[in-house]
Each structure stands twice: as structure tokens, then as C-alpha cells.
Amino acid sequence: MLLKTFGWSFAVTALGLVAAAFYGGWTAFGIVAILAILEISLSFDNAVVNAGILKKMSAFWQKIFLTVGVLIAVFGMRLVFPVVIVAISAKMGPIEAVDLALNNKDHYQELVTDAHPAIAAFGGMFLLMIFLDFIFEDRDIQWLRWIERPLAKLGKVDMLSVCIALIVLLITSFTFATHAHQHGGAHVDKAQTVLIAGIAGLITYMIVGGLSGYFEDKLEEEEEREHEEEEEAARTGKKKPAVVLAGQAAFFMFLYLEVLDASFSFDGVIGAFAITNDIVLMALGLGIGAMYVRSLTVYLVRQGTLDDYVYLEHGAHYAIGALAVILMVTIQYEINEVITGLVGVVLIAWSFWSSVRRNRALADSEGNAGSDDKAEISSGV
């Protein structure tokens, strides 16, 4: 099971490390290994959230996620995305941007760093919306009840998550406007950029998330209707019609997963520049990490881990909220990637341990209930 799920990740790791050694010797080998570990540690919460969505999809779409999705994640976000960002921000053609990335790495790094406020605002707002929509939803299972219970009541207010996200964005951009005024207006464009990019992130979430949610609801309705038709067919002996909506619903959920993965990868791509500005090594290291995140997602789904450890999804969404805040803060202040990674790991580890304790408590209560029943039977006899 483990080899079947992680086999491709192991193969890509071996090929990536060998390619790095040929490309730049043992130094490049070490850099790629560090980048892979960085990506995995920063994206573990991504895998947990992905698993929550992927478990609703068929085996076919899970394979699409592992194949086409990996190509988008590895080549699209880890290789093409940094080049596109430079091309847009520096107003140059894609060929020029690639040439710059390969032959003038220092200048390329400067341009990516200059584009960081827009990237952080877009990704930060998208992730913040995911966290807010999760925390404002009323759930049967609650992890930190003292926070989640009152917030679930507040969540009954329409569009509250959008309002809060816009307030956070306005505060962030206003901070830049104040900063610009104090320094002779040097950063006025940056404040405007943050505002526009943040709104773009919010709109992207609402479109993609809205469509996937809509089709997911349609799929649930279709499944209910299918179940009724199966019962009717069993009574009458007629064949039921095939379901046609599942593919459409799964496609939009897949699209949502890809945008979600893109938002998660922003911090990894930006953080990678603290280690190297060589785009080849960056693509190799982050690509290896992305493969493990994909495999881990599928492993969690197939093992039913989220059903067994019910607070894991909560911990992952709290980690998303923390990452969203960190991304917004990094627009003006530098935060070490180790801190970003540790916050996510600690929250998920805490939620896992809480799940284990819950499972033990349930097992103990069931055991006590069983012994009480036996005692009643024996006393009755």
C-alpha cells in the first residue's frame, strides 16, 4: 500500500537528486534535498485539506489529481509561475524572463522579490477565505469548542467572512499607504498593488469555490435521486438511468484543488529564494516536495485517516489561517520559513493528538458501557 501510493514520489526523488548532482555537484544535491523538505513541511496542511476534498471524488479523478494535477503543481507552479511573475512585473516577454532566470539570477531574484507583495496578497486572501468559511460553519464535531461554538453562531450572518477578509485587506493596504506617506510616497504603487491583488484573490476564491460548492451540492442531490431510482428499480425491475453530473462536479472540485494548491505553493516558492536563486534547483526541490504532498493526500484518503482522526481537518484549517496571516505580514516584514513551517506542523500535531485522546475516551466509554450491560444481564439471571 505504502509503495503503491508513494512509489512515484520515491522515483521522482531519486531522479531529481541525481539530476541535481549532475547539474551542480554535491552542493546542488544538498540544496535540492533541503528545498524538498521545506516544501513538505510547509505543505502538510495542504495535504490534509486536499484529502478532505479528494475523498468525495471518484478513483478516476483521484488518478487525474495524481497525474495531470502533479504536472500543473510541479511544472506550472514551481517552474512556470516564478517566470510568469517576473515577466508580468518587469513587463518583458516570457523568453526574456526565462533567459533572465537562467543567466542573470541575481536580477531575477530582485524582480521576484519586488513582486512578492502582490503574490502574498493574492494567496493570503484566498487562504484566509478558506479558513474563515471553515471556522464560521456550524459543525457536529468541534475541536476548540470555546472558539468554534461562538464563531459558528456568528457565521449565521450573511457574507461575514467576505467582510472580515476585506477589512483585513484594507488594513494591510492602509498600512502601506501610511508607510508610503512617511517615506515620501515611494511605496504608493505597492499599496495599490496589494489592494488589487488581494481583491483578485478574493474574487478567485468566490468564483472557483462557489462553482465547486454548487456542483458538489448538485452531486449530492443527484446521488439522493440515484438512490431513490435504485430503490424504484429494485421494486419494478426497470434499469435506472446513468449519472451524468458526477464528472462535471468532480471537474470543478479538481479545479478548486488546483487553485488551492497554487495558493499554498506561494510561500514555498518565495521561501525557496532564501536558499537559492537558481530556478533549476528550485524546480527540482519544490517539485519533489509537491510529489510527496500529492501522495500523502491520496494516502490519507485511502486509509480513511480523516475519518479516524476527526480533528486533523480542523488543525489543517487553523494552519491555513496562520499561513494566510503570515503571508499578509510578509508583505512588509520578513518571517523565517522555519517559523512558517513549524506553525503548521505544531497545529496539525496538536489536532492529531487531540483526535487520539478522543478515540481513546470513546473506546473507554464503550468498554465501560459494555461491562455495565454484562453486569445487568448477570444480575438479572
Side-chain angles (χ1 to χ4, degrees), residues 104-179:
N104 193 346
K105 294 167 187 173
D106 290 335
H107 184 47
Y108 170 76
Q109 182 176 347
E110 284 175 21
L111 291 173
V112 173
T113 304
D114 288 342
H116 174 68
I119 299 167
F122 181 94
M125 290 303 290
F126 189 91
L127 295 176
L128 183 62
M129 282 299 299
I130 292 169
F131 169 70
L132 291 174
D133 275 353
F134 179 86
I135 204 72
F136 284 138
E137 187 178 333
D138 193 11
R139 300 176 181 281
D140 295 331
I141 296 173
Q142 295 176 331
W143 178 32
L144 305 177
R145 291 184 181 178
W146 57 279
I147 296 175
E148 293 173 20
R149 192 172 286 173
L151 288 178
K153 290 178 182 177
L154 280 175
K156 293 174 183 176
V157 178
D158 286 342
M159 305 299 286
L160 181 62
S161 56
V162 175
C163 292
I164 291 175
L166 284 171
I167 289 167
V168 170
L169 181 61
L170 284 171
I171 290 170
T172 307
S173 57
F174 177 74
T175 303
F176 268 96
T178 307
H179 185 73

Side-chain angles (χ1 to χ4, degrees), residues 41 44 143 315 319 338-353:
S41 65
F44 191 82
W143 178 32
V338 174
I339 295 171
T340 308
L342 278 177
V343 168
V345 169
V346 167
L347 283 167
I348 290 170
W350 181 17
S351 65
F352 176 78
W353 175 241

Side-chain angles (χ1 to χ4, degrees), residues 116-293:
H116 174 68
I119 299 167
F122 181 94
M125 290 303 290
F126 189 91
L127 295 176
L128 183 62
M129 282 299 299
I130 292 169
F131 169 70
L132 291 174
D133 275 353
F134 179 86
I135 204 72
F136 284 138
E137 187 178 333
D138 193 11
R139 300 176 181 281
D140 295 331
I141 296 173
Q142 295 176 331
W143 178 32
L144 305 177
R145 291 184 181 178
W146 57 279
I147 296 175
E148 293 173 20
R149 192 172 286 173
L151 288 178
K153 290 178 182 177
L154 280 175
K156 293 174 183 176
V157 178
D158 286 342
M159 305 299 286
L160 181 62
S161 56
V162 175
C163 292
I164 291 175
L166 284 171
I167 289 167
V168 170
L169 181 61
L170 284 171
I171 290 170
T172 307
S173 57
F174 177 74
T175 303
F176 268 96
T178 307
H179 185 73
H181 179 72
Q182 291 172 349
H183 291 79
H187 297 286
V188 170
D189 290 339
K190 193 174 284 187
Q192 186 179 354
T193 300
V194 167
L195 194 59
I196 292 169
I199 291 171
L202 183 63
I203 291 170
T204 302
Y205 172 82
M206 293 179 76
I207 291 172
V208 180
L211 282 172
S212 64
Y214 170 77
F215 282 106
E216 188 180 345
D217 290 341
K218 285 288 184 185
L219 179 58
E220 287 175 3
E221 289 173 14
E222 192 69 24
E223 284 172 345
E224 285 178 14
R225 189 169 67 82
E226 184 188 6
H227 181 66
E228 289 171 5
E229 286 175 355
E230 279 178 351
E231 290 180 343
E232 181 69 22
R235 283 196 301 267
T236 61
K238 293 178 182 177
K239 289 185 178 179
K240 68 179 185 64
V243 178
V244 293
L245 189 65
Q248 197 178 32
F251 171 74
F252 279 100
M253 288 167 74
F254 171 76
L255 184 63
Y256 176 71
L257 272 175
E258 290 308 311
V259 179
L260 179 65
D261 180 73
S263 299
F264 270 106
S265 67
F266 288 149
D267 63 323
V269 172
I270 298 301
F273 280 98
I275 297 166
T276 180
N277 58 10
D278 190 315
I279 192 168
V280 175
L281 297 181
M282 202 180 296
L284 286 171
L286 297 181
I288 290 170
M291 280 296 298
Y292 278 100
V293 173

